[in-house]
Amino acid sequence: MTPRLLRTAVATALALGALGLTQPARATSSDGVHSVRVPDGDPHERSLAPRTSESFSLIGITWDDPDAHLDGTAQVRTRSRESGAWSAWRPLETDVRTPEAGPDRDRPGVRGSTQPLWTGPSDGFQVRVSGARLPAGLRVELVDPEAGSDAVHTAVVEPDDVPPDIAGPAAGPLAAERPAVTSRSAWGADESLVKDPPTYTGDTKAMFVHHTAGTNDYACSESASIVRGVFLYHVQSNGWNDIGYHFLVDKCGTVFEGRAGGIDKPVLGAHAYGFNTATSSVSVLGDYSTAATSAAVRESVAKVAAWKLGLYGIDPTGTVVLTSGADNGKYKLGQKGTFHRISGHRDGYPTACPGQSLYDDLPEIRTLAANAGKSAEPAAEPLGPWAEDEGVLAR
């Protein structure tokens, strides 16, 4: 190191120390995700002191073993890049599980994780984690969904081979109008990060409703960035092949295309451990543990479910028997359960998701789905101010 660089490094360290901040140790960065290792040590408590960081807008924690569960709590504080103010401590949801089958489980580098938290533009963080026995290899994941936005690859992800019987179901007798859906290219999915073609599972038999947890304190103009951040977290931090959800809905009711492979096709997702096969998913951006949903959210979730299930002639108010593909803490491997065709995540897995408020809305959502109008023509695609590609879904 040259004398000038040495003086600069020392001055930076002293300045950060005076602010009560430390610099991240052993940090790595890749495609909009900056990872910071949490040093191993106490098996029950680990933390990182307040520190400055690369810019980010979404934060989460991952660990080495994808089958390990963080049986405890994980909390973060973040510093606003605009005001410099520190947030209060906020919990991270720890109910994420690696899918029981498919490329998202078999890929090298798959990690266990918490749910990510949307923070808005930030440049500092603090972390504390505690539990009965913490998993090894804890890492803080700082996601900047705007990084490299000028180089986003938006080529369509096409399947290598779609069997004829699942290449696109004909509309059934209960067909509903397809809702307007913001395409992956419109919200800025970097398709170069999706390495494997989508996997198909057979007919879609049920729809699981989720929430992303975290915060409701976002503007709907930020929704595309949030979806892009979740995509980067699922792919770059969790090590999955693609975003886990099939659809996402923001608090204003805008619907976003999630996992690639065709919104009208039964794509294997990564959303409901034990019940990913033959199911679809829609996740609402925000935390609905106590916050009430809007009419726009309820209507959009109902429209998505009505259209998706209607492709197979399924009554959205009915029930179905599903078989668990894993021991997931609520169902044993091979155990059968009866589910509403529109169910909450908690119906199949021991979690609070989709939050009590949204869960209590499911009967109304089922009724709205049953009353969804029929139409032979799909709705036009909405294009927000973030859209860099004016193409619409063609799959």
Side-chain angles (χ1 to χ4, degrees), residues 160-393:
D160 285 348
D161 182 24
V162 183
D165 60 336
I166 60 172
L174 297 175
E177 178 182 355
R178 199 194 82 180
V181 180
T182 302
S183 67
R184 287 168 64 93
S185 62
W187 59 255
D190 185 347
E191 304 295 8
S192 70
L193 300 178
V194 182
K195 304 302 182 184
D196 296 318
T199 301
Y200 297 92
T201 70
D203 291 358
T204 297
K205 298 179 179 179
M207 174 75 70
F208 279 105
V209 178
H210 303 256
H211 69 170
T212 59
T215 180
N216 301 317
D217 186 19
Y218 64 89
C220 290
S221 59
E222 298 178 293
S223 297
S225 291
I226 298 174
V227 174
R228 197 159 55 247
V230 174
F231 166 78
L232 289 171
Y233 186 79
H234 283 179
V235 174
Q236 299 293 86
S237 300
N238 289 17
W240 298 351
N241 187 52
D242 198 350
I243 192 169
Y245 306 117
H246 297 88
F247 301 91
L248 300 97
V249 174
D250 73 8
K251 63 185 182 182
C252 292
T254 302
V255 181
F256 296 84
E257 178 187 15
R259 179 157 286 213
I263 61 172
D264 62 340
K265 299 179 179 64
V267 179
L268 177 67
H271 64 96
Y273 182 61
F275 295 98
N276 285 302
T277 299
T279 66
S280 188
S281 57
V282 55
S283 187
V284 182
L285 304 183
D287 185 344
Y288 293 94
S289 300
T290 57
T293 63
S294 66
V297 164
R298 297 189 293 274
E299 290 169 2
S300 289
V301 171
K303 288 178 179 178
V304 168
W307 174 73
K308 186 70 174 181
L309 295 174
L311 293 173
Y312 302 91
I314 293 173
D315 179 356
T317 64
T319 60
V320 63
V321 175
L322 301 176
T323 303
S324 178
D327 293 335
N328 69 6
K330 186 164 187 172
Y331 286 88
K332 298 292 186 182
L333 174 64
Q335 181 180 351
K336 297 182 182 299
T338 299
F339 293 81
H340 289 286
R341 293 286 190 172
I342 303 176
S343 285
H345 186 193
R346 65 173 64 179
D347 291 324
Y349 183 77
T351 175
C353 182
Q356 190 62 49
S357 181
L358 181 52
Y359 189 77
D360 289 343
D361 287 335
L362 291 183
E364 178 187 350
I365 288 171
R366 294 181 194 114
T367 299
L368 289 170
N371 294 330
K374 299 179 181 180
S375 174
E377 296 296 330
E381 299 298 334
L383 293 176
W386 58 81
E388 296 180 6
D389 184 333
E390 295 186 355
V392 297
L393 290 170

